[in-house]
Amino acid sequence: MKRFEGKKVVITGAAQGIGQATAQRIAEEGGDVALLDVNEAGLAATQKLVEAHGVGCSLHPCNVRDTAGVHAAVEAAAEALGGVDTLLHIAGVLRTYNTHEMTYEQWDEVIDINLNGTYRVNHAALPHLLKNRFSVIVNMASTAAIGSHPWMSAYAASKGGVISFTRSLYIEYVKQGLRANCVVAGGIATTLHQQFKPPTGGDMDLVRGAMPYGSFAKPKHAASVFAFLASDDARFINGTEVRADGGALS
Ligand SMILES: NC(=O)c1ccc[n+]([C@@H]2O[C@H](COP(=O)([O-])OP(=O)(O)OC[C@H]3O[C@@H](n4cnc5c(N)ncnc54)[C@H](O)[C@@H]3O)[C@@H](O)[C@H]2O)c1
C-alpha cells in the first residue's frame, strides 16, 4: 500500500515507541514526514529508519510544554514539507501516583504534557491543515480515559481531555474538510509501558481489568491504526475514537 504518497505528515513523539513505528509506517507507504520530539538522539535514530524508504524527512526537536518552541517547530516542519495535511500527535508521558499523595506539581506536569501539549501542537498545526481541502488530525488518547485504571488519575484526566478536545475540533472544522479522531490505545509494549510501576504497596489486582488477554501489542500494531485513521480508507470516520487494546475493555 502507498496511501501517503504526496502527503505531508507531522508526527510528534517520533523518537521512539508508537511515534517511531508510526513514522516508519507512513514512510513505508510513501509519505514525507516531519518529526517532533524532545529526544534529539531518538529523532536521529528514527530518521535513519524513515530515510531507508526514500521519503523526505526533517527533524524538529521541541518540548511540547514550550508554547513558542512548539509553534517554531511546527512552522519549520511546514516549511520543510511544503505545507501540512496530516497531524499525528503521539507524544505523551505516563506517571503513576496515589492520588491523595500526588502533588500539584505532579498533576500539572502530566496535564501540561499530555493535554496542554495536545492543544499546543494542534493549535500550531491547524492554520496549515485548514489550507487544504482535506486534512486529518489523529491524537493519542488511552484506555485510561474510558476504563478505570488505578494511580493514573492525572493521566486519565489528561487523555479524557484529549478525546473531548478532538471531538470539538471535528464539529468545529468539519465543513472545512478536516477529520479529527483519536486512537484509544492500551497495552502496547514500549518504554512508557515498561516504566509503569504501582505505588509502594499498590494492589495489582486493581489493574487486571486494564490488561489485554495474551501478550501486550507491539508499537507497530498502534502505528497501523494511526495509518488507517490518517488515510483515505477512513474517509467516513470523524469525531470519534478507535480503541486498540486487544479487547481489554470489552
Ligand atoms: N504504551 C502504551 O501501552 C500506551 C497506551 C495508551 C496510550 N499510550 C500513549 O501513546 C503515546 C506514545 O507513548 P509510547 O507508549 O510510545 O511511549 P514512549 O515513552 O516510547 O514514547 C513517548 C514519546 O513522547 C516523547 N515525549 C514525552 N514528553 C515529551 C515532551 N514534553 N515533549 C516532546 N516529546 C515528548 C518522548 O520523548 C517519546 O519519544 C503517549 O501519548 C502515551 O500516553 C501508550
Side-chain angles (χ1 to χ4, degrees):
M1 283 190 289
K2 289 285 180 191
R3 294 178 294 185
F4 297 102
E5 274 178 350
K7 294 291 183 188
K8 301 156 183 176
V9 186
V10 170
I11 306 172
T12 75
Q16 62 184 38
I18 296 165
Q20 182 180 71
T22 302
Q24 284 179 267
R25 179 62 188 260
I26 299 296
E28 193 183 306
E29 293 203 40
D32 290 332
V33 295
L35 308 179
L36 278 64
D37 202 289
V38 73
N39 173 354
E40 291 193 40
L43 281 181
T46 304
Q47 185 174 34
K48 284 203 177 120
L49 298 169
V50 161
E51 285 182 343
H53 297 285
V55 298
C57 176
S58 58
L59 306 184
H60 310 280
C62 69
N63 188 329
V64 300
R65 302 191 74 172
D66 170 11
T67 303
V70 166
H71 278 263
V74 171
E75 289 310 309
E79 176 88 26
L81 289 167
V84 181
D85 50 47
T86 308
L87 170 65
L88 309 179
H89 174 57
I90 301 173
V93 293
L94 170 68
R95 306 277 188 257
T96 47
Y97 307 106
N98 286 313
T99 301
H100 68 283
E101 292 171 342
M102 180 168 52
T103 66
Y104 282 90
E105 288 73 23
Q106 288 167 334
W107 167 273
D108 283 344
E109 184 206 16
V110 175
I111 297 294
D112 198 42
I113 294 175
N114 291 355
L115 180 56
N116 298 345
T118 297
Y119 168 64
R120 289 185 188 103
V121 171
N122 281 243
H123 185 245
L126 270 168
H128 296 286
L129 293 164
L130 293 171
K131 286 181 187 159
N132 308 303
R133 178 68 192 95
F134 297 108
S135 285
V136 184
I137 292 174
V138 187
N139 287 323
M140 179 51 116
S142 162
T143 49
I146 56 175
S148 36
H149 293 29
W151 318 307
M152 299 182 204
S153 57
Y155 182 75
S158 71
K159 294 297 189 177
V162 170
I163 290 175
S164 304
F165 172 75
T166 308
R167 284 185 173 230
S168 288
L169 290 188
Y170 141 68
I171 194 65
E172 191 171 338
Y173 298 109
V174 65
K175 292 193 177 176
Q176 283 142 277
L178 181 76
R179 287 194 301 111
N181 294 295
C182 284
V183 175
V184 171
I188 315 286
T190 63
T191 305
L192 177 140
H193 150 255
Q194 285 155 11
Q195 284 168 347
F196 166 80
K197 48 176 190 309
T200 307
D203 179 353
M204 285 302 286
D205 262 0
L206 300 177
V207 284
R208 305 259 179 257
M211 298 291 176
Y213 289 97
S215 57
F216 276 50
K218 297 191 163 106
K220 68 177 181 182
H221 299 124
S224 61
V225 183
F226 271 93
F228 167 65
L229 283 174
S231 78
D232 217 41
D233 287 341
R235 183 71 168 264
F236 205 45
I237 299 179
N238 205 353
T240 190
E241 301 80 45
V242 169
R243 180 161 60 87
D245 68 345
L249 294 194
S250 292

